[in-house]
Amino acid sequence: MKIRLGVIFGGETVEHEVSIISAIQAMNKIDQEKYEIIPIYITKDREWYTGDMLKDIEFYQDLSLIKRYTENVVLYCDNGRYVLQKKGGLFKRVVKEIDIAFPIVHGTNVEDGVLQGYLQSIGIPFVGPNVYAAVVGQDKAFMKDIWNEAGLPMTKYVWFYDSDYKRDSEEIVKLVSKLKYPVIVKPATTGSSVGINVCDNDEKLIEAIDEAVQYDQKIVVEELVQNLKEVNIAVMGNYEHQKVSEIEEVLSANKFLTFADKYIGNGKGKLKTSKYAVKTSKGMASANRKLPADLSKEMREKIEEVAIKAFKALGTSGNSRIDFLIDENSNKIYINEINSIPGSLAFYLWDAKDVDFTSVLDEMINIGIKDYKKRISKTHSFDSNILQGFAINGGIKGMKGVKGKLR
Ligand SMILES: Nc1ncnc2c1ncn2[C@@H]1O[C@H](COP(=O)(O)OP(=O)(O)O)[C@@H](O)[C@H]1O
Ligand SMILES: [Mg+2]
């Protein structure tokens, strides 16, 4: 029997459309002999829909078509079965049953542990990062603190809360003075270069922070890498085993692209004129790139080694893309960020190593199944210990003993 695979995508995120593209690319390449693909689309207003037509990009032009021709559902656990049940109506009609969920989502409210938390709370096996790794993978402040602790090469950085800035902005300017200008200011969790700006004096710093606090409660400020070359690598596996893809160099005619560049055509009139307008993160399959990147053997090995350490330090799982910044004058490398569920699932980075997309997807699903087995084996051993204690001591007395242990 085929494995019933629920591919979940969309959601309330600025990267909603990118996620639709990533998911459709993947659904086209998933091995149909082995898996029955069940598309599950989350609209921007958080409604879940399922139906075969969701595999076709054309339908997304008009949301009313989706509402008319697909089923509005909820996913829940019904006596150990994971079912998509029609929302509303008199009868609890099960539209589909699924065995494993495959989130292909980007950005806040979905990739950042929110969706994973829901999946884990109903107990369904799922592909990709677990809740903790997904949270940390979206929050640049957490991510940097963990990588810093692991001794990975990074630019100097600080982070703070919007409330501390609002209370005493001078204190924050003082904190940032630990760094050398120019610095780059980023909202910790938004992604896609939203609210990111570079500044080279205190006045511009204040302007940049004022903008960043519109997007996030946590703000990261870090030193700017000069003579910049950006390279990305994918890492596949879990905390036990990892392997690395080919490395790409991300190129761009403008050197830096803003969100408008990437998602709103040429973005004329909306583009920041600053010489430091910023490039976006998702590095989709269509982006301008050199693959493989032009790198010395030592540099390549260093990037592979740091990428694996970074992946393990976060305890993540699946297939993520890890982005690096290189100063071409000093030849120093700095780890920048992880994309836990990268645009296009970074298939092109594996393709360049002769691993086709179908095998990448198959491997990701297998890792998800292994993660699930590990997760439930841990939970079971905890349960049985409690029951053992109860059986030995017996009755209410035994119960007291258990309570004592749990306290
Ligand atoms: N420290 C830095 N030095 C130079 N450029 C940077 C630095 N940090 C980010 N950038 C530029 O800004 C882009 C977006 O920043 P990034 O941290 O990747 O955020 P996002 O999550 O929005 O992709 C990067 O791809 C890079 O071009
Ligand atoms: Mg990025």
Side-chain angles (χ1 to χ4, degrees), residues 254-308:
N254 305 334
K255 188 93 181 151
F256 293 107
L257 295 172
T258 61
F259 180 85
D261 264 331
K262 183 73 161 273
Y263 298 118
I264 317 171
N266 65 12
K268 270 190 189 127
K270 295 198 170 174
L271 268 181
K272 296 213 168 87
T273 47
S274 152
K275 67 174 171 164
Y276 293 125
V278 173
K279 188 197 85 43
T280 89
S281 67
K282 279 298 172 186
M284 294 165 59
S286 59
N288 212 351
R289 63 171 49 86
K290 197 189 276 179
L291 181 57
D294 219 352
L295 293 168
S296 67
K297 187 164 172 282
E298 296 75 49
M299 191 80 110
R300 176 173 292 275
E301 283 171 1
K302 180 79 186 155
I303 288 166
E304 291 175 354
E305 180 199 319
V306 175
I308 287 177

Side-chain angles (χ1 to χ4, degrees), residues 32 111 154 165 196 199 209 281 297 330 333 336 377 406:
Q32 312 237 0
E111 183 185 2
M154 270 188 303
Y165 171 70
I196 297 188
C199 29
I209 299 175
S281 67
K297 187 164 172 282
S330 65
I333 68 156
N336 181 35
S377 74
L406 289 178

Side-chain angles (χ1 to χ4, degrees), residues 29-188:
K29 291 289 174 183
I30 289 167
D31 184 350
Q32 312 237 0
E33 299 285 305
K34 204 165 161 186
Y35 303 101
E36 178 191 344
I37 301 164
I38 298 141
I40 303 166
Y41 171 55
I42 311 176
T43 62
K44 287 181 184 171
D45 54 6
R46 303 186 216 96
E47 291 292 333
W48 294 41
Y49 288 89
T50 192
D52 263 353
M53 65 184 275
L54 293 168
K55 293 177 187 164
D56 188 345
I57 192 86
E58 298 293 319
F59 283 105
Y60 295 86
Q61 312 282 348
D62 182 354
L63 192 60
S64 69
L65 284 181
I66 288 177
K67 295 196 167 168
R68 192 165 350 136
Y69 294 110
T70 66
E71 306 260 23
N72 189 197
V73 292
V74 286
L75 171 66
Y76 74 105
C77 178
D78 180 19
N79 284 317
R81 296 157 67 224
Y82 300 103
V83 297
L84 288 166
Q85 184 192 287
K86 191 165 166 52
K87 233 179 134 179
L90 281 181
F91 305 103
K92 290 186 175 176
R93 189 164 69 77
V94 168
V95 180
K96 281 280 177 193
E97 194 173 327
I98 60 182
D99 300 310
I100 178 165
F102 193 162
I104 305 185
V105 287
H106 309 309
T108 42
N109 291 318
V110 268
E111 183 185 2
D112 56 355
V114 172
L115 177 60
Q116 290 79 1
Y118 178 64
L119 297 174
Q120 194 163 327
S121 75
I122 63 168
I124 189 170
F126 61 91
V127 179
N130 62 43
V131 179
Y132 313 106
V135 170
V136 175
Q138 186 74 27
D139 184 318
K140 292 181 167 70
F142 282 152
M143 192 191 301
K144 280 178 188 290
D145 284 352
I146 289 177
W147 285 343
N148 201 25
E149 189 64 29
L152 303 186
M154 270 188 303
T155 55
K156 275 177 94 176
Y157 71 97
V158 295
W159 71 263
F160 51 88
Y161 289 113
D162 60 352
S163 53
D164 291 334
Y165 171 70
K166 281 174 191 154
R167 196 166 34 239
D168 189 350
S169 60
E170 273 176 30
E171 203 44 49
I172 298 300
V173 173
K174 212 163 107 194
L175 177 76
V176 174
S177 72
K178 284 195 211 161
L179 313 178
K180 270 206 227 92
Y181 280 121
V183 297
I184 183 160
V185 178
K186 308 175 179 179

